[in-house]
Amino acid sequence: MKKNIQTISITSGKGGVGKTTLVSNLSYCLAEQGARVLILDGDLGMANVDIMFGKRARQSIANLIAGEAGLEDVLVELTPRISLIPGGSGVYGLHNLDYVAKTALMDQVSQLEDDFDVMLIDTAPGISDNVLYLNSAAQECVVVVTPDPSSLTDAYALIKVLHKRHFENRFSIVCNLVRDEQEALTVYRRLSDVTSQFLCVSLNLKGYVPLDPTLRKATKLQQLICQAEPRSPSSLAMGSIAKSLCDFKYLYEAKGGLQFFWKQLSGVA
Ligand SMILES: Nc1ncnc2c1ncn2[C@@H]1O[C@H](COP(=O)(O)OP(=O)(O)O)[C@@H](O)[C@H]1O
Ligand SMILES: [Mg+2]
């Protein structure tokens, strides 16, 4: 059976909860564990994964869609094992492409299938159609929450629309910016209490990342905490989340693979 790329979106109801931090550091950890990682930066307003790696993307999917560039021109090599597709607002132009253009794009995408093991998708926060498309196209959806009450209500709103409109019924949860494990469990239980009361979905706590001043410092210096301070509490936490993310049984699931992801996203039947 052909191996498929595992596609995982990192998403949230509310902004500033640590999505880009997680996408970048988890990618780093997965690469350290031997995976070849593709990142899709799908945040409209704040496409900044490249900056986390100290690079600057010059083109994006928008150039690809406009026919000004091929996928290989748009792709940015962040490290030898991590590449980035700068998406930005371009990602959402996919839906408006005609059939021929979509098929041509699929051909290009399928060539990447053999080059990577996992794709992490950094989404914008909220419940706009764009965010919903990215999340529903991905095989696994990781919702990031923090102890901030509005982060919980916004996460619930996101899970609810993904379930009602896109029939998603399985979500992974990561609690970020928590004091300790106890607080992570409290946050997780609050969310799972409301979802189990009102929705028929299953939540799975993937892990938590403590509030770590060293992380903030590293980000300011444009360093990845997992690389700069691998023994810091947040690095250790993200390392263990990365281990539990790459569950290779998913590689053979029907919803896997890059082609499936892009077909869902662009609406090719
Ligand atoms: N566990 C953490 N400890 C301390 N600071 C954090 C942690 N996670 C994220 N941050 C900081 O919070 C801010 C927002 O994180 P970011 O990843 O950009 O969020 P998002 O992508 O969800 O908007 C950044 O300044 C980041 O360094
Ligand atoms: Mg971000």
Side-chain angles (χ1 to χ4, degrees), residues 14 36 55 58 71 94-95 113 116 122 127 131 136 143 154 172 185 187-188 208 210 222 239 242 244 251 256 261:
K14 184 177 177 288
R36 295 158 306 163
K55 302 247 164 143
R58 273 173 286 124
L71 193 54
L94 287 174
H95 249 280
E113 191 95 52
F116 298 95
D122 189 5
I127 54 167
V131 175
S136 62
V143 181
D154 293 352
S172 296
L185 288 174
V187 168
Y188 175 69
Y208 71 93
Q222 283 190 22
S244 74
L251 296 177
F261 177 84

Side-chain angles (χ1 to χ4, degrees), residues 193-261:
D193 281 351
V194 274
T195 53
S196 64
Q197 202 176 341
F198 299 109
L199 306 171
C200 195
V201 297
S202 85
L203 302 191
N204 166 28
L205 180 60
K206 275 279 170 193
Y208 71 93
V209 185
L211 192 155
D212 184 355
T214 327
L215 190 156
R216 198 152 271 156
K217 256 184 256 159
T219 309
K220 282 209 182 102
L221 296 170
Q222 283 190 22
Q223 289 173 341
L224 291 178
I225 184 82
C226 288
Q227 185 173 25
E229 299 284 346
R231 308 305 302 166
S232 81
S234 58
S235 299
L236 295 172
M238 289 190 280
S240 70
I241 293 172
K243 283 209 182 77
S244 74
L245 264 190
C246 236
D247 184 344
F248 283 91
K249 82 177 193 307
Y250 283 123
L251 296 177
Y252 300 99
E253 274 194 2
K255 209 181 162 189
L258 268 190
Q259 288 211 60
F260 179 87
F261 177 84

Side-chain angles (χ1 to χ4, degrees), residues 19-20 43 46 48 122-123:
K19 290 180 300 298
T20 305
D43 194 341
M46 193 69 87
N48 54 356
D122 189 5
T123 79

Side-chain angles (χ1 to χ4, degrees), residues 11-207:
T11 192
S12 69
K14 184 177 177 288
V17 297
K19 290 180 300 298
T20 305
T21 303
L22 274 163
V23 165
S24 307
N25 284 284
L26 290 176
S27 298
Y28 177 82
C29 295
L30 289 168
E32 289 288 291
Q33 290 165 22
R36 295 158 306 163
V37 186
L38 184 61
I39 304 175
L40 173 62
D41 193 345
D43 194 341
L44 279 168
M46 193 69 87
N48 54 356
V49 175
D50 50 350
I51 296 169
M52 292 286 291
F53 284 83
K55 302 247 164 143
R56 196 80 197 110
R58 273 173 286 124
Q59 308 208 63
S60 82
I61 281 191
N63 302 94
L64 186 72
I65 289 172
E68 300 156 358
L71 193 54
E72 69 286 358
D73 307 315
V74 168
L75 216 62
V76 181
E77 193 180 277
L78 297 174
T79 78
R81 280 181 167 272
I82 308 174
S83 291
L84 169 73
I85 304 177
S89 52
V91 168
Y92 310 113
L94 287 174
H95 249 280
N96 304 322
L97 289 179
D98 63 29
Y99 184 77
V100 175
K102 278 179 186 168
T103 317
L105 181 66
M106 258 2 111
D107 279 348
Q108 295 199 50
V109 166
S110 69
Q111 287 162 23
L112 291 178
E113 191 95 52
D114 295 331
D115 297 339
F116 298 95
D117 302 301
V118 56
M119 175 163 77
L120 294 187
I121 303 133
D122 189 5
T123 79
I127 54 167
S128 64
D129 282 347
N130 303 328
V131 175
L132 299 179
Y133 279 133
L134 277 176
N135 283 323
S136 62
Q139 212 171 11
E140 178 168 357
C141 192
V142 178
V143 181
V144 186
V145 290
T146 73
D148 181 346
S150 66
S151 139
L152 274 181
T153 47
D154 293 352
Y156 176 75
L158 175 63
I159 290 171
K160 185 176 165 184
V161 281
L162 277 169
H163 177 59
K164 301 255 173 202
R165 274 197 240 153
H166 295 268
F167 312 107
E168 294 297 323
N169 50 22
R170 215 165 40 100
F171 297 88
S172 296
I173 307 295
V174 167
C175 301
N176 188 21
L177 295 164
V178 290
R179 235 180 4 252
D180 50 21
E181 186 176 15
Q182 196 52 49
E183 185 170 41
L185 288 174
T186 307
V187 168
Y188 175 69
R189 283 202 194 105
R190 262 190 215 133
L191 184 62
S192 63
D193 281 351
V194 274
T195 53
S196 64
Q197 202 176 341
F198 299 109
L199 306 171
C200 195
V201 297
S202 85
L203 302 191
N204 166 28
L205 180 60
K206 275 279 170 193

